[in-house]
């Protein structure tokens, strides 16, 4: 690949002696050579279909500033290739843009267009240039500039500067990492307001998705080779990349990869040409003085598969997930062998009552698929009807399209999915848009979740096109009493607490579960969370506690309170006690 370095630099301008130009350097390689990078950097491939001739500018929406600037660099090179004549030859300081074998592309910070960008009384970035120009009665150098220029918006004020953009000369590339203040428009949704504004400006739109994990793994190897290092056999590039993504909350850049590897080199444990897993763990630990036995910490985080199978109950769900993973791996291998395969759509239905771990399982499934190399992104988007259905007919499809665009190769989790598909025009539009999204994004997993009866009705009466794309329906059964008790014990342990008498506590729990049978959805894990929280409330009011031990009396008082609140057994709630609970324990364990 031809490297694009989008680090921003500055230089003084002539004849504008009081102004400095912020810019990025591009190689002189023509666009036809640079676009070969798209074979690996597939997230930039839409640039090749972008129309740059005749338009006044390009609006780029990117996941990170670095990806946005790289996309802008490719667009500049494509624009220059498409121009028959260099329209900017009359610019006063064209020599500042063509510098030997490099091409300097101006970067204007969006706040500069408004002439204000202060922080704690200081001017920063190119805002100082705009202020100096104003003080000296001098127009900013970029005002009449015909040379292609990048407007970088890191403060999301597109709606505030659209008129300023309209006044600029030459080709403009506007880069932002979110839809920003367009969300605040009181009458139009984001997509409608943005479309109107971009239409008025005569801009084309480029959406840049997050790079895939495969791309970062390739870049990881490239940076290693550039620095003359190799990975030791105990280190796996895919695992190291995932660790970095987790450290950076899901979003990383090529610059992050380089920093990661350079830090690992600085913290090497053995002076040779190999980088080990321990070196990379040290690279992410910013409290190195606290590290003692780093080797003991390397494999402390269990895999998603391990955590999935550690969930209490849900045995059929776990089996269904393993079958699905096996099928996806099978299809992936057939594709590598250039063998035909039956289309396998990534659409699932999770059916179960509240508190049966549907969302937790969905997140673990997403992580499992990523670990197996079957998903290209860490993205997990939980949405509901309000996120999909537009305010007016015609808006829903654009909102669905945006959600898919923001979660390419990730997971979209639709809670209470049945509420989206009712007998109204919005639902029909949502269904059609969802089908199109599934068709155009085969690498994105969509999970539709909800209550059993409603989801069964949804599956039975869904649009045939949508129903045909549902791969599996996973049923989440209510927990049995023994599983509910196990969940309570797990929650106690997860809170770094212990029971003073497990047998007595189990007796109280059995009594509680037998007397709360009339409450809707009694067999769900949230009930145990509610009980534990109430028991901790009781513990906190006692003077003789050690902050760790949950006593049977705390659990008993919590049970009494919850049964009384739910009006389950007003006549027996006063009888709750250790003796009765022990009797129930004996009957339960038999």
């Amino acid at each position: 690949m031809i490297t694009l370095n989008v680090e921003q630099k500055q230089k003084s301008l002539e004849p504008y002696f009081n102004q400095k130009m912020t810019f990025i350097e591009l190689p002189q390689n023509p666009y036809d050579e640079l676009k070969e990078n798209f074979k690996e950097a597939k997230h930039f491939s839409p640039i090749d279909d972008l129309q740059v001739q005749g338009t006044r500018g390009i609006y780029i929406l990117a996941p990170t500033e670095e990806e946005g600037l790289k996309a802008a660099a490719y667009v500049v090179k494509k624009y220059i290739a498409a121009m028959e004549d260099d329209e900017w030859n009359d610019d006063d300081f064209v020599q500042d843009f063509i510098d030997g074998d490099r091409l300097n592309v101006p970067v204007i910070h969006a706040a500069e267009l408004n002439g204000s960008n202060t922080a704690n009384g200081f001017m920063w970035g190119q805002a100082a240039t705009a202020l100096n120009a104003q003080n000296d009665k001098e127009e900013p150098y970029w005002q009449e500039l015909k040379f292609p220029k990048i407007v970088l918006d890191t403060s999301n004020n597109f709606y505030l500067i659209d008129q300023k953009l309209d006044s600029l000369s030459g080709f403009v590339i506007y880069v932002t990492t979110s839809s920003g203040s367009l969300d605040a428009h009181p009458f139009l949704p984001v997509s409608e307001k943005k479309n109107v504004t971009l239409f008025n400006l005569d801009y084309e739109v480029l959406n840049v998705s997050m790079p895939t994990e495969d791309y970062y793994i390739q870049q990881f190897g490239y940076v290693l080779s550039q620095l003359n290092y190799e990975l030791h056999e105990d280190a796996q590039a895919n695992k190291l990349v995932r660790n970095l993504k987790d450290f950076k909350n899901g979003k990383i850049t090529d610059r992050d990869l380089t920093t990661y590897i350079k830090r690992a080199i600085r913290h090497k444990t053995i002076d040779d040409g190999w980088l080990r897993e321990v070196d990379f763990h040290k690279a992410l630990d910013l409290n190195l003085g606290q590290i003692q036995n780093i080797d003991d910490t390397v494999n402390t985080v269990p895999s998603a598969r391990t955590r999935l199978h550690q969930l209490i109950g849900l045995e059929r769900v776990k089996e269904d997930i393993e079958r699905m993973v096996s099928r996806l791996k099978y299809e992936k291998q057939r594709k590598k062998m250039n063998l035909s395969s039956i289309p396998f759509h990534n659409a699932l239905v999770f059916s179960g009552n509240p508190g049966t771990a549907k969302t937790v399982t969905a997140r673990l499934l997403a992580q499992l698929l990523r670990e197996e190399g079957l998903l290209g992104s860490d993205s997990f988007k939980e949405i509901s009807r309000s996120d999909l259905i537009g305010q007016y007919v015609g808006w829903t499809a654009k909102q669905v399209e945006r959600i898919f665009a923001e979660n390419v190769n990730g997971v979209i989790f639709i809670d209470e999915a049945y509420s989206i598909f009712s007998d109204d025009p919005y639902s029909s539009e949502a269904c059609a848009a969802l089908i199109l999204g599934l068709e155009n994004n085969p690498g994105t997993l969509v999970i539709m979740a909800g209550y059993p009866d409603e989801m069964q009705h949804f599956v039975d009466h869904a649009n045939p096109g949508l129903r045909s794309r549902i791969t599996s329906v996973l049923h989440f059964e209510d927990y049995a009493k023994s599983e509910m008790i196990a969940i309570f014990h797990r929650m106690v342990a997860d809170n770094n607490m212990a029971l003073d008498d497990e047998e007595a506590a189990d007796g109280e729990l059995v009594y509680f579960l037998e007397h709360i049978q009339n409450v809707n959805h009694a067999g769900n894990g949230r009930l145990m969370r509610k009980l534990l929280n109430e028991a901790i409330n009781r513990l906190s009011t006692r003077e003789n506690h050690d902050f760790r031990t949950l006593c049977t009396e705390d659990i008993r008082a919590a049970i009494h309170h919850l049964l009384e609140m739910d009006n389950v057994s007003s006549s027996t709630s006063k009888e709750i006690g250790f003796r009765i609970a022990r009797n129930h324990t004996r009957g339960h364990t038999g």
Side-chain angles (χ1 to χ4, degrees), residues 210-213 216 241-247 249-252 363 366-367 370-371 375-381 407-411:
M210 278 295 295
T212 63
E213 187 171 296
Y216 283 126
V241 168
R242 291 170 195 158
N243 288 345
L244 178 62
K245 292 180 78 171
D246 290 341
F247 181 80
N249 296 319
K251 287 187 177 181
I252 61 175
R363 290 185 180 276
Q367 294 171 22
R370 188 192 68 177
E371 289 177 0
L375 274 184
S377 170
D378 292 326
S379 171
F380 184 95
K381 181 75 170 179
N407 296 277
V408 174
N409 297 324
V411 174

Side-chain angles (χ1 to χ4, degrees), residues 507-519:
E508 299 291 349
L509 294 172
V510 170
Y511 182 88
F512 176 55
L513 293 172
E514 288 183 350
H515 284 77
I516 205 165
Q517 288 301 308
N518 293 329
V519 177

Side-chain angles (χ1 to χ4, degrees), residues 86-94 144 146:
D86 294 341
E87 60 178 18
W88 48 83
N89 280 335
D90 295 333
D91 283 331
D92 291 334
F93 37 91
V94 66
E144 300 297 329
K146 297 177 183 178

